[in-house]
Amino acid sequence: LFRTEVGTEYFIAVQGNNIPSIGDFELKISTVELPPNDECSGALDTIPGSAPIFGSTSFATYSGTNSSCSGSDTSPDLWYRVEGTGALLTASTCGGRTNFDTQISIYEGIGEVCDGTCIATNDDSCGSGSEVQWIADQGVMYYIRVHGYSTGSGSFVLRVT
């Protein structure tokens, strides 16, 4: 899965597992509708204590984010945002509906830059699920990036409390 640009020519190499490999192959190319929150600028609003959010990074792309929060991962990601309440907030992918090794990264929004200062990040707080807590200043917008370890992707449940 990769994002394409209109007017750009792409070349696709096909190679077998054992060299030399000779034989027939089938190449299937299709378009996929990206989730609306595939990029930080399209982050979906969430309210602390609201219903869990069920999502999947399987048809998302890597945003090329500020790596200060999560190291060198290149996994597909989805974005959410929450306004600070002046209290402790928690974002969690812990639970039975999460089926891959998730990471959560929290960024403080600065103007139009939604992946600015890294506030918190976590990998494997609860098995392969993740959970972060941070003091969320009243009125400040925080961006929650749900992504996988390394290049991992899959389905998750996100709870913000």
Side-chain angles (χ1 to χ4, degrees):
L1 184 66
F2 63 96
R3 187 182 301 269
T4 59
E5 301 280 334
V6 173
T8 302
E9 184 176 23
Y10 296 91
F11 296 92
I12 300 171
V14 178
Q15 175 180 321
N17 288 334
N18 300 314
I19 298 175
S21 293
I22 300 172
D24 296 332
F25 67 91
E26 181 180 334
L27 179 63
K28 186 176 182 178
I29 298 174
S30 60
T31 58
V32 175
E33 185 75 26
L34 295 176
N37 56 333
D38 184 57
E39 294 291 334
C40 185
S41 59
L44 299 178
D45 290 322
T46 185
I47 298 170
S50 60
I53 298 167
F54 297 94
S56 174
T57 60
S58 296
F59 293 112
T61 61
Y62 169 58
S63 298
T65 63
N66 173 348
S67 63
S68 68
C69 232
S70 56
S72 61
D73 78 272
T74 56
S75 64
D77 47 29
L78 292 179
W79 293 85
Y80 301 89
R81 67 183 184 184
V82 60
E83 187 172 335
T85 61
L88 183 70
L89 288 183
T90 302
S92 175
T93 59
C94 300
R97 299 271 181 119
T98 299
N99 68 4
F100 73 111
D101 188 355
T102 63
Q103 292 187 17
I104 296 177
S105 299
I106 308 297
Y107 298 90
E108 182 178 327
I110 303 168
E112 295 298 315
V113 178
C114 49
D115 68 342
T117 304
C118 176
I119 301 299
T121 190
N122 180 259
D123 179 28
D124 299 341
S125 175
C126 48
S128 60
S130 300
E131 183 172 289
V132 293
Q133 293 184 328
W134 75 102
I135 300 294
D137 294 336
Q138 180 77 36
V140 174
M141 193 60 70
Y142 294 92
Y143 291 82
I144 303 167
R145 177 180 176 236
V146 177
H147 52 111
Y149 173 76
S150 184
T151 59
S153 66
S155 298
F156 64 88
V157 59
L158 173 66
R159 292 176 181 86
V160 179
T161 55

